[in-house]
Amino acid sequence: MPTIRAATEDDVQAIYDLICELATYEKLRDQVVGTPEILRASLFERREAEALIVESDGEAVGYALFYTTFSSFECRGGIWLEDLYVKPEHRRGGVGRKVLEHLAAIALERDHARLEWVALDWNEPALNFYAKLGADRLDDWLIHRLEVDGMRSLAAGE
C-alpha cells in the first residue's frame, strides 16, 4: 500500500505534473495556466492550501490539495478537497479511500465540521466511489464563479 504524507517544497514539480495528468483526464488540460512556481508560492509562502503526496516505492503516484473553509451555520471550519488524484495504475487498491480517511482524520483533529468536494457529473467511477463512502450528494447547491476578468469588472463597479 502506498504511503501518504504532507507535501514539501521538494514535491512541487511532482504535484504540478500530477495536476496536469488530472486535467488531461478531465479533458481540461488547456485550462491549466498555473506554473510550478505559482504552486510553490501558493502552498509554501502564502499557505493558501495544503497538499498530501501519495508515494509508492519513492515515486509520487497521487496527491490531494485541500484548504480550510468556514461554515457560518456550524460556526466552525471545514476542509475543501480541491483535488484528489491517483494515477490509473494505482487505483482500485484502496488508495483513494486511504487519502480520504487521512483527510477525515485531519478534519476531526482540527475540530472541523465537514469535509467537502465536488466531482464532474460525467465521472461515474468517482461518483460511485464517493457514494460507497457514504458521502451526501448535494444536488440543491450550485457552484458560482467569478474569474479574474469578472472580479475586475465587479470590483470596478461595472
Side-chain angles (χ1 to χ4, degrees):
M1 175 66 73
T3 59
I4 301 165
R5 63 170 175 79
T8 67
E9 283 193 61
D10 292 339
D11 297 311
V12 168
Q13 186 64 53
I15 295 168
Y16 183 81
D17 292 344
L18 290 165
I19 288 169
C20 292
E21 281 187 37
L22 171 63
T24 299
Y25 172 75
E26 292 180 339
K27 302 173 183 73
L28 299 169
R29 179 60 181 94
D30 62 318
Q31 294 185 31
V32 177
V33 296
T35 65
E37 294 75 26
I38 293 170
L39 180 62
R40 185 195 57 72
S42 295
L43 292 176
F44 298 103
E45 289 178 19
R46 293 187 302 277
R47 303 208 180 273
E48 296 170 332
E50 298 175 61
L52 299 174
I53 290 288
V54 180
E55 281 185 324
S56 181
D57 297 323
E59 175 194 359
V61 298
Y63 77 101
L65 283 172
F66 63 98
Y67 55 90
T68 302
T69 61
F70 190 81
S71 167
S72 58
F73 289 7
E74 296 280 347
C75 300
R76 294 177 21 208
I79 286 179
W80 182 268
L81 175 59
E82 180 67 20
D83 288 345
L84 169 56
Y85 179 74
V86 177
K87 289 184 173 199
E89 61 270 22
H90 292 275
R91 294 180 192 159
R92 303 220 180 267
V95 177
R97 181 180 180 90
K98 287 292 183 197
V99 173
L100 285 166
E101 288 172 359
H102 192 95
L103 283 168
I106 290 171
L108 292 169
E109 177 184 302
R110 296 177 184 180
D111 196 32
H112 288 321
R114 54 180 63 141
L115 170 59
E116 299 176 294
W117 63 92
V118 295
L120 292 167
D121 61 358
W122 57 261
N123 192 346
E124 286 299 322
L127 295 171
N128 292 334
F129 170 66
Y130 299 140
K132 287 179 188 173
L133 294 176
D136 292 327
R137 189 170 173 174
L138 305 177
D139 291 329
D140 52 339
W141 290 87
L142 299 176
I143 295 174
H144 294 80
R145 174 183 294 166
L146 281 175
E147 296 202 12
V148 174
D149 289 343
M151 289 185 293
R152 284 187 181 129
S153 293
L154 182 61
E158 298 173 357

